[in-house]
Amino acid sequence: MRVAVHTEIAAPRQRVWDYIVDPDRHLEFMEGMTRWEVDGRKRTGVGARFAMRMRVGSVELGGLIEIVEFDPPCDMAWTSVTGVDHRGRWRLRPRNGDCADVELRVTYHAPGGILGSIADLVAWPIVRGHLQRSLAELKHRIETLPAVRSEAAAGKRRHHTQGVAKARRR
Amino acid sequence: MNSLLPTIRDDFESRDPDFIRQFLPILWLLASFWYRAEVRGLEKIPAEGPVLLVGNHSGGNMTPDTAAFVLAFSAYFGAERPFYQLAHSLVLTMPGLWWLRAFGTVVASPENADKALRKGAALLVYPGGDYEVHRPTWESAKVDFDGRKGFLRVAHRDHVPLVPVVSIGGQETALFLSRGQRLAKGLRLDRLFRLKVLPISLALPWGLNIGDMLGHIPLPAKITIQVLDPIDLRARFGAKPDWSAAYRSIIGQMQRTLTQLQSERRLPIVG
């Protein structure tokens, strides 16, 4: 099944790109996402891996995903390594000067023959709803929150994450 | 008198992650839309290594809590993570339930528990077993392991984290009236089949359902499952624990959670 949602954000494409490639921000705007953690040393670019989970119906689905396409500030695509078999893509295009066309696509496939196809079909409105609300939240955050403030918050968050990592190492 | 149960070989190699993946969409449909299952706190389970998951058991022989939890665990950690479940040997002799082995269900015994944990697997046990799963519906919000403490010894001996898993809703999938312990004893089922109960319930499609051997159509009761924080038994209770105190502590913790889950429910079945 294929889900594609789209929105227009009144901000330069580069700013939207910077927002979506920052792994610390995914849980802020991705609806239904319960986990988004860097797996390994690489945090971005081709080969970066993430452990992700999204609540769909009664369970948190997901697994390990890997970035397979990274073309700043236009396209970022991923594919599943383990867990639910799926692919996804962020597609950013400039529009009317300082605006960006943002499209988020996800293609997924459940095993299990006919019942798997039924599950795919039943899950479609749930996944689509999550993605639509995620784009709406992304648009809201980028358009209404000042860039300087969000960057400062990101810095603060990175500092906090490093602190937690240090504490865990101890 | 010898048991009439056939000897079942230890079948750890029957677990098949590909089969589990194929089966998950069916469980997902069932759990999401029939039981409206909600599983909370999976992130508390250690991401790798052996772990003993200890649950309270509900729902008669249909065990909706097991279906919902196995689905949630396999979806969250992936079917490739070794995950076994202990079940009464009678369950594994039922002809229509061959697929349980592919899911990683093995005969409940201390030896199999040790074996699974020493393989580095996650292991789900229901110490209350047939005694708890057939308790009357009005005891839905009661954790009742019948004093069985073997799970504590296993977690302590193998030095693995014990993670309590508390569920509610299963006992509303039929009207469970009695465990039928006297009936089971009178028919000598304990000696013949290691069964301490012969449950009596009102269930679809049978009406009066004695034994629940053929299962039943469960009512669509909402299932809620809460995973608690891991417990290191050696750290909490020492190298030589007072088993009774440890049992009371773990059961008490699970009971408080179950009471909390019960207080969240506004209506039977609806949740």
Side-chain angles (χ1 to χ4, degrees), chain A residues 34-35 53 55-62 82-83 110-113 115-116 118-119 122-123 126, chain B residues 21-22 25-26 28-29 31-33 36-40 42-43 47 68 71-72 75-77 80:
Chain A
T34 57
R35 188 177 175 199
R53 302 287 184 279
R55 182 165 287 283
V56 182
S58 65
V59 296
E60 294 171 54
L61 297 173
T82 62
L115 285 167
I118 293 172
V122 171
I126 303 173
Chain B
R21 273 188 213 99
Q22 295 281 325
I26 302 168
W28 180 79
L29 287 166
S32 296
F33 300 100
R36 285 109 51 226
E38 193 182 337
V39 183
R40 308 168 184 166
L42 281 168
E43 71 282 356
L71 163 72
Y76 193 87
F77 293 105
E80 49 287 319

Side-chain angles (χ1 to χ4, degrees), chain B:
Chain B
M1 186 184 291
N2 291 329
S3 169
L4 295 183
L5 284 172
T7 304
I8 301 170
R9 62 195 165 96
D10 293 342
D11 218 359
F12 285 86
E13 290 178 9
S14 290
R15 186 178 184 276
D16 184 347
D18 290 334
F19 176 86
I20 295 171
R21 273 188 213 99
Q22 295 281 325
F23 211 86
L24 286 183
I26 302 168
L27 283 184
W28 180 79
L29 287 166
L30 188 69
S32 296
F33 300 100
W34 191 255
Y35 296 124
R36 285 109 51 226
E38 193 182 337
V39 183
R40 308 168 184 166
L42 281 168
E43 71 282 356
K44 294 177 181 177
I45 298 172
E48 53 192 26
V51 55
L52 184 66
L53 302 154
V54 178
N56 64 316
H57 210 9
S58 303
N61 287 349
M62 301 309 289
T63 63
D65 47 2
T66 314
F69 186 76
V70 168
L71 163 72
F73 185 95
S74 302
Y76 193 87
F77 293 105
E80 49 287 319
R81 179 171 181 180
F83 175 38
Y84 294 94
Q85 311 88 40
L86 296 188
H88 195 287
S89 47
L90 190 62
V91 173
L92 288 165
T93 57
M94 294 280 183
L97 298 179
W98 56 269
W99 51 273
L100 286 176
R101 292 165 182 269
F103 260 90
T105 305
V106 293
V107 173
S109 70
E111 296 75 28
N112 278 350
D114 288 337
K115 197 171 173 182
L117 293 169
R118 286 169 192 169
K119 281 164 73 82
L123 178 69
L124 175 64
V125 298
Y126 292 111
D130 56 349
Y131 182 82
E132 186 177 41
V133 85
H134 294 296
R135 70 191 182 283
T137 294
W138 50 91
E139 292 180 8
S140 173
K142 182 181 176 187
V143 179
D144 193 349
F145 289 177
D146 194 26
R148 299 169 191 175
K149 304 181 185 75
F151 69 99
L152 292 170
R153 292 189 173 89
V154 168
H156 192 270
R157 181 167 62 230
D158 294 328
H159 201 184
V160 298
L162 184 156
V163 177
V165 178
V166 181
S167 70
I168 195 162
Q171 226 57 9
E172 296 169 14
T173 55
L175 183 59
F176 296 93
L177 300 171
S178 167
R179 292 185 177 99
Q181 286 167 281
R182 284 184 195 169
L183 199 55
K185 198 171 181 182
L187 294 171
R188 309 184 78 181
L189 296 183
D190 187 18
R191 287 170 174 242
L192 295 172
F193 300 107
R194 286 180 48 220
L195 279 178
K196 289 185 176 173
V197 299
L198 188 64
I200 302 166
S201 62
L202 293 177
L204 295 174
W206 319 111
L208 184 64
N209 184 19
I210 299 176
D212 204 22
M213 291 300 174
L214 296 174
H216 59 272
I217 298 173
L219 298 175
K222 180 175 171 59
I223 304 294
T224 308
I225 300 176
Q226 176 71 57
V227 178
L228 306 186
D229 288 320
I231 298 165
D232 181 338
L233 289 182
R234 291 191 187 193
R236 190 189 280 192
F237 301 105
K240 292 183 179 174
D242 174 343
W243 296 114
S244 295
Y247 178 80
R248 281 195 302 273
S249 171
I250 305 291
I251 292 287
Q253 193 178 348
M254 293 180 73
Q255 183 58 60
R256 284 191 292 280
T257 305
L258 187 57
T259 304
Q260 172 63 33
L261 292 179
Q262 171 67 15
S263 70
E264 292 175 15
R265 291 175 88 81
R266 285 169 295 176
L267 292 168
I269 299 175
V270 176

Side-chain angles (χ1 to χ4, degrees), chain A residues 72-129:
Chain A
C74 305
D75 283 79
M76 177 169 68
W78 72 89
T79 187
S80 55
V81 179
T82 62
V84 173
D85 186 15
H86 76 284
R87 303 178 69 85
R89 175 181 295 275
W90 285 98
R91 191 174 158 86
L92 276 55
R93 295 292 179 267
R95 187 185 176 97
N96 301 334
D98 259 1
C99 286
D101 252 345
V102 180
E103 190 177 9
L104 177 56
R105 300 174 186 162
V106 173
T107 308
Y108 61 92
H109 170 68
I114 293 171
L115 285 167
S117 301
I118 293 172
D120 279 348
L121 205 64
V122 171
W124 189 84
I126 303 173
V127 176
R128 187 165 187 270

